Amino acid sequence: MLIERTRSMSPGKSSGKMRPDCFLNLSIHYDVGDVLEVLPSQDPVAVDAFMKRCNLNPEAYITVQPSKKENSMGDTNHAPDIPVKLKTFVELTMDIASASPRRYFFEIMSNFASAQHEKERLQYFASPEGRDDLYQYNQKERRTVLEVLEDFPSVQMPLEWLVQLIPPLKTRAFSISSSNSAHPNQVHLTVSVVSWTTPYKRTRKGLCSTWLAGLDPQQRVLIPAWFHKGSLPSPSPSVPLILIGPGTGCAPFRGFVEERALQSKSGPTAPVLFFFGCRNEENDFLYRDFWLSHLQSGGVLSEDKGGGFYVAFSRDQPQKVYVQHKMREQSTKIWNLLAGGAAVYIAGSANKMPSDVLAALEEIISLEGGVTKEVAARWIHALEKSGKYHVEAWS
């Protein structure tokens, strides 16, 4: 209720429920293909530094109310206006140490700068002439709200402005990597721990992935979480599957394979083809032992079950090899499954991969089915309309 109440006060737009479905140490339920949203915790040191820099009393209690115009629109998510501790509000709603502020933030800051040189610098950043320099200073370096405020120490912004201008703390969405049937009361995630270096050699880390990676399993940590349907619906055990998931795109398909392995113990199941890709076999082969165990005789990916597991290691040879190349090598198998009513599931990076996979499928259907590319494209469109072509891609 505290999370619901606090986040409902935030002026940031919400796309769904404010109250978490659960904390991840309680009973949970989900289907394969579902998505888990996690609200990350912010660094307590950064929160304390922000409170000190902005002269905010962490023990104060506040309520934050929408303007009359917004209130008249009727926000059904809005919880009762019960005061919450200011520090709690900052922790749960204001992204102070990972998100970069917008240009308008600098414009408003200039109005509260008491040092003339800071005021002029901020006004320049907010002007059309200063756009390129602001990009170099702010977006390219991914400066955080806290860092910007510390760079302009004469600025003292009222809390009312900070609440409106600081980017809202957003939940992070992950494809679930497990079957609830195989792991009762557990949810598995495949998380790439984000870290990079800026042009000025600052080390930046992803807020949520770094926080998750640093959790101590021995400590009792409450993780606010929301479950919802993604774009990969849970398939029937009688439907053959063609799964394409390079990199962390393999995450949901680990759950698919776990679920089908359980289903195969109690009755017949349709074949599964899985195409996985990564840069190097030695460093990036996610869940290697898991896939290989299901490739053994009798496993859901095994050839004797009509399945298959094919890996493209893009950087282990002079010429780059991707999942679409492996798909073309197995064109007959893919065609046979498609002709038998298979569903196609694609997950992974949203750059070129989904369109490259689509082009490969069109080629395979054209080649194996003896039809034109236009007819092949219509075949895939028909698959999509019948609920047998699904893509979950992320940037």
Side-chain angles (χ1 to χ4, degrees), residues 27-332:
S27 180
I28 55 179
H29 175 75
Y30 57 89
D31 295 317
V32 294
D34 284 0
V35 170
L36 183 77
E37 287 193 5
V38 171
L39 180 66
S41 286
Q42 303 195 78
D43 181 1
V45 175
V47 173
D48 290 341
F50 173 80
M51 304 294 288
K52 186 176 180 181
R53 165 63 186 83
C54 297
N55 293 321
L56 300 175
N57 177 4
E59 299 303 313
Y61 279 79
I62 64 164
T63 60
V64 179
Q65 297 171 324
S67 68
K68 289 180 181 177
K69 182 180 177 183
E70 289 173 328
N71 211 23
S72 67
M73 296 171 70
D75 180 5
T76 56
N77 280 327
H78 193 70
D81 292 324
I82 301 170
V84 298
K85 197 176 277 191
L86 178 51
K87 185 176 180 179
T88 302
F89 182 83
V90 171
E91 289 170 333
L92 292 177
T93 70
M94 300 167 70
D95 194 340
I96 58 162
S98 78
S100 295
R102 295 179 179 271
R103 188 194 65 83
Y104 188 52
F105 187 79
F106 292 85
E107 182 180 331
I108 298 301
M109 278 180 72
S110 70
N111 297 319
F112 295 102
S114 58
Q116 187 60 28
H117 69 284
E118 291 184 13
K119 181 183 287 287
E120 291 173 358
R121 183 72 172 160
L122 288 164
Q123 287 172 339
Y124 171 70
F125 275 156
S127 70
E129 297 77 23
R131 181 179 297 174
D132 290 343
D133 285 338
L134 176 61
Y135 175 77
Q136 294 292 331
Y137 167 81
N138 187 40
Q139 291 97 317
K140 203 163 184 183
E141 281 297 298
R142 286 291 295 270
R143 270 188 171 80
T144 68
V145 167
L146 178 57
E147 288 173 336
V148 170
L149 288 168
E150 287 175 338
D151 281 352
F152 296 90
S154 81
V155 173
Q156 289 300 327
M157 293 176 72
L159 176 61
E160 291 82 359
W161 278 107
L162 292 169
V163 167
Q164 293 179 76
L165 295 179
I166 291 177
L169 181 64
K170 296 178 180 177
T171 57
R172 271 60 167 179
F174 299 94
S175 295
I176 292 174
S177 307
S178 52
S179 158
N180 201 13
S181 304
H183 304 282
N185 209 29
Q186 290 185 18
V187 59
H188 298 186
L189 304 179
T190 303
V191 181
S192 176
V193 182
V194 179
S195 177
W196 75 99
T197 305
T198 71
Y200 285 100
K201 307 303 179 189
R202 286 183 174 88
T203 299
R204 299 295 192 202
K205 295 182 178 181
L207 172 63
C208 191
S209 62
T210 302
W211 171 65
L212 286 172
L215 291 177
D216 182 354
Q218 303 306 316
Q219 292 184 344
R220 183 174 178 268
V221 179
L222 296 175
I223 300 177
W226 293 256
F227 291 92
H228 63 81
K229 296 298 172 189
S231 44
L232 304 177
S234 178
S236 162
S238 62
V239 174
L241 299 178
I242 299 169
L243 312 176
I244 302 107
T248 54
C250 72
F253 303 138
R254 180 176 180 265
F256 279 42
V257 170
E258 282 187 334
E259 186 104 321
R260 188 146 291 193
L262 275 180
Q263 292 165 342
S264 68
K265 292 179 180 177
S266 56
T269 55
V272 179
L273 293 181
F274 178 36
F275 295 88
F276 173 67
C278 61
R279 290 188 171 197
N280 309 106
E281 181 175 7
E282 194 158 324
N283 301 322
D284 309 306
F285 198 166
L286 298 174
Y287 303 119
R288 172 186 179 137
D289 293 345
F290 173 82
W291 308 122
L292 296 183
S293 70
H294 288 284
L295 191 58
Q296 303 297 321
S297 179
V300 293
L301 297 175
S302 63
E303 291 202 5
D304 54 296
K305 284 283 188 78
F309 175 60
Y310 309 98
V311 190
F313 301 112
S314 63
R315 307 296 170 86
D316 277 355
Q317 61 283 312
Q319 192 171 9
K320 292 179 182 175
V321 177
Y322 296 113
V323 284
Q324 60 267 27
H325 300 123
K326 292 294 179 181
M327 289 170 64
R328 290 186 181 98
E329 290 174 7
Q330 303 300 324
S331 62
T332 303

Side-chain angles (χ1 to χ4, degrees), residues 358 361-362 365-366 371-384:
L358 175 61
L361 281 170
E362 287 178 354
I365 293 168
S366 175
V371 297
T372 63
K373 287 280 184 68
E374 290 73 21
V375 172
R378 288 203 296 272
W379 175 300
I380 293 174
H381 183 63
L383 268 184
E384 200 170 352

Side-chain angles (χ1 to χ4, degrees), residues 345-362:
Y345 287 79
I346 302 165
S349 172
N351 47 31
K352 286 184 63 186
M353 185 275 294
S355 58
D356 288 343
V357 166
L358 175 61
L361 281 170
E362 287 178 354

